[in-house]
Amino acid sequence: MTDGPSLRSKLAASLPKSQRFVVHHLSTPPTPSPALYSAPPGQKPEKTTCESHFLSVTIHHNDKRIQIFALEVLIYTTQDLITLFVSKADSTGYIHLLKLPKGTASPLRTISSIFIAHLVDNRKRKDRQLVVSLFARSQNQYLFPGSIENPGKHVLDDRGLIKWWCRVLEPVLQSCESKSDTPELDRWLKKEPSHITSKAYLRVPSCDLHETRSFFPPHVRRNPALLTKWHPNKDPLRHLAGCAPTAPERCLIPRFPDDPKSRFVDELDDELTEPPPSSQTQESPSKGKQPGKWKSVRSLNQFWELMAFRQECSSGRLVGFLWAVFTPQQVADRLKESGPIPFAERVTRRPHASDGPGTFAPVVQPPMTPPAEQLVDPYLPDVDDQGFSPETVARAIGPPTYAPPAEETALVLPAKHYARVNRLLL
């Protein structure tokens, strides 16, 4: 983790100074989770933890608070990979009430970029890779039922939404590779320089190379140096899974909640030579002539070709699958010298000394009263008239049982309380 600016200060420095935004950041402690990747035949799945982060944004209008945006990110952690999955995002359409000047950068895109970059910055490790994964699929409404009835809500079409998310992730790629603002201080503190390379991958089933490249941000397409970081019609799945070249394709595709890839994998598992495991926590099939192999899909390229004919990706609709991969120099050197760590070794290896809090088990500390900083508001408002202050939340559900890192600004709650406050905010 890094001792950089808080989420509060990053948002305050980037959002329009003439407006007042109220941002609530909730999270859960990391808890054991089913593995993202199916284990190769005869192997046990990797130990995995998952934590949820929810961001809610409201504005002030006529002495009332009106919600404009919400975003949820799930963070999965294993021995060698940290995965941030953007699971939910939606707006209410009331941002037009701000009456921002024409040409002003979208605050929603700015907030999304800053929040994701903040999570990346606080979760990156020098000894493991980190990936941000998401899929862009246009819907009228997702988190806010009935919001489509608001005439002020502008719903992007498929192409517009894919372009929007590419523009969200571009600043994240740049921020994680930017040099330190205080190199002399870093040397005096004997801090190791942070060498991280970043790459972006985009797949849009049914689109060719030229069409896929058209979704990249305009300044990326015009800049050859930036364009080398973006890879159209490619994905990092085999590289991230770290399995042997002979591993079944089902072991290379992560299973995220409410993800088109995951639904397709579940259907393909019906083709296995023996019944698939009933849970990801069980071992993969190991018997049969081709254990763990699908009959109709024999490669990742074929998997993506067939994805183009899925109902979610056909009938004139486009779905974009986007990844941003961050590789520390230490990991890059290791991969170059000896390749990925064998899967069997990863699932039995003891945790790294640098794993830190929240890698494999929650760090439980004595009950504490959440500090006021945990409720993020760039403009230091008074207590919410709806009662969403740290103190009122603590009185309603009790104090949190997990102490977040010092630089975190989230109100960390157990899963059941996280869901309850989540519903209250929405």
Side-chain angles (χ1 to χ4, degrees):
M1 296 187 182
T2 59
D3 298 323
S6 66
L7 176 61
R8 177 197 191 98
S9 60
K10 293 174 185 176
L11 291 170
S14 302
L15 293 174
K17 299 295 185 294
S18 60
Q19 303 296 334
R20 187 179 183 184
F21 297 82
V22 180
V23 181
H24 298 83
H25 178 194
L26 306 175
S27 73
T28 64
T31 54
S33 165
L36 278 181
Y37 297 89
S38 297
Q43 302 290 340
K44 293 183 178 180
E46 282 192 281
K47 291 183 178 179
T48 306
T49 63
C50 177
E51 55 187 288
S52 302
H53 288 259
F54 183 80
L55 195 76
S56 170
V57 184
T58 61
I59 60 173
H60 281 262
H61 182 71
N62 294 336
D63 298 325
K64 294 182 179 180
R65 284 192 176 181
I66 300 176
Q67 193 160 28
I68 61 171
F69 184 65
L71 174 70
E72 185 174 49
V73 178
L74 307 180
I75 303 180
Y76 298 88
T77 305
T78 65
Q79 283 277 19
D80 293 280
L81 181 65
I82 300 172
T83 303
L84 277 69
F85 176 61
V86 182
S87 66
K88 301 174 184 176
D90 195 11
S91 65
T92 62
Y94 287 107
I95 194 170
H96 74 278
L97 297 175
L98 295 178
K99 297 181 179 179
L100 297 173
K102 189 176 181 180
T104 303
S106 168
L108 303 187
R109 193 172 74 236
T110 300
I111 292 170
S112 300
S113 295
I114 290 175
F115 184 55
I116 294 174
H118 177 77
L119 294 177
V120 169
D121 195 47
N122 285 324
R123 291 302 182 278
K124 63 186 179 184
R125 302 287 189 275
K126 65 180 180 179
D127 55 4
R128 71 190 71 182
Q129 284 185 298
L130 184 147
V131 58
V132 177
S133 177
L134 63 90
F135 69 94
R137 179 183 58 193
S138 180
Q139 290 184 233
N140 291 337
Q141 55 193 22
Y142 193 51
L143 284 172
F144 301 106
S147 60
I148 190 57
E149 299 176 6
N150 176 14
K153 182 169 184 175
H154 173 57
V155 179
L156 293 174
D157 59 17
D158 300 325
R159 293 181 179 273
L161 186 63
I162 296 172
K163 292 179 180 180
W164 191 88
W165 277 111
C166 286
R167 295 179 71 180
V168 165
L169 285 191
E170 169 58 18
V172 182
L173 293 173
Q174 298 304 317
S175 66
C176 290
E177 283 201 353
S178 60
K179 297 181 180 179
S180 172
D181 295 329
T182 57
E184 295 183 1
L185 178 61
D186 289 348
R187 286 196 296 271
W188 182 74
L189 294 174
K190 296 182 180 180
K191 284 188 177 181
E192 296 184 12
S194 177
H195 298 292
I196 297 178
T197 58
S198 58
K199 294 182 179 180
Y201 301 82
L202 175 64
R203 275 195 180 272
V204 183
S206 77
C207 286
D208 59 24
L209 193 69
H210 177 74
E211 290 177 304
T212 304
R213 190 178 285 115
S214 69
F215 294 109
F216 295 169
H219 72 281
V220 170
R221 300 198 301 269
R222 295 191 298 264
N223 189 326
L226 294 178
L227 193 57
T228 58
K229 295 181 178 295
W230 287 75
H231 302 274
N233 273 7
K234 292 184 179 180
D235 62 76
L237 295 182
R238 183 174 293 277
H239 171 72
L240 294 175
C243 295
T246 57
E249 283 66 30
R250 66 186 300 271
C251 302
L252 311 178
I253 303 170
R255 303 190 187 217
F256 296 116
D258 191 27
D259 181 60
K261 301 190 306 298
S262 303
R263 285 188 281 272
F264 191 23
V265 169
D266 290 339
E267 291 184 17
L268 289 172
D269 276 351
D270 293 336
E271 303 177 359
L272 295 178
T273 53
E274 66 176 57
S278 58
S279 171
Q280 289 175 261
T281 59
Q282 299 180 1
E283 298 183 17
S284 292
S286 58
K287 298 180 181 180
K289 295 181 180 180
Q290 293 180 311
K293 288 282 188 179
W294 296 320
K295 294 180 180 179
S296 60
V297 175
R298 312 300 293 180
S299 68
L300 276 180
N301 285 336
Q302 190 178 8
F303 175 85
W304 288 113
E305 290 174 3
L306 294 178
M307 274 294 296
F309 297 98
R310 300 276 297 173
Q311 183 177 0
E312 294 169 294
C313 305
S314 60
S315 303
R317 302 186 61 185
L318 294 178
V319 177
F321 298 90
L322 186 60
W323 300 265
V325 181
F326 304 90
T327 306
Q329 187 62 47
Q330 178 176 324
V331 176
D333 293 340
R334 185 187 70 202
L335 293 173
K336 185 177 180 180
E337 293 175 3
S338 56
I341 297 175
F343 189 91
E345 182 179 339
R346 294 210 309 268
V347 298
T348 57
R349 190 157 46 93
R350 297 181 64 83
H352 296 286
S354 60
D355 282 339
T359 300
F360 289 97
V363 179
V364 179
Q365 299 195 5
M368 54 176 287
T369 301
E373 172 85 0
Q374 288 177 332
L375 205 62
V376 186
D377 182 351
Y379 293 91
L380 299 174
D382 296 329
V383 175
D384 191 328
D385 54 1
Q386 297 181 14
F388 288 122
S389 70
E391 292 77 13
T392 54
V393 170
R395 283 196 296 270
I397 61 178
T401 57
Y402 169 74
E407 68 276 9
E408 281 289 2
T409 55
L411 180 62
V412 185
L413 304 169
K416 63 179 182 179
H417 296 328
Y418 170 89
R420 179 182 175 188
V421 177
N422 194 319
R423 290 193 297 271
L424 288 173
L425 289 173
L426 293 177

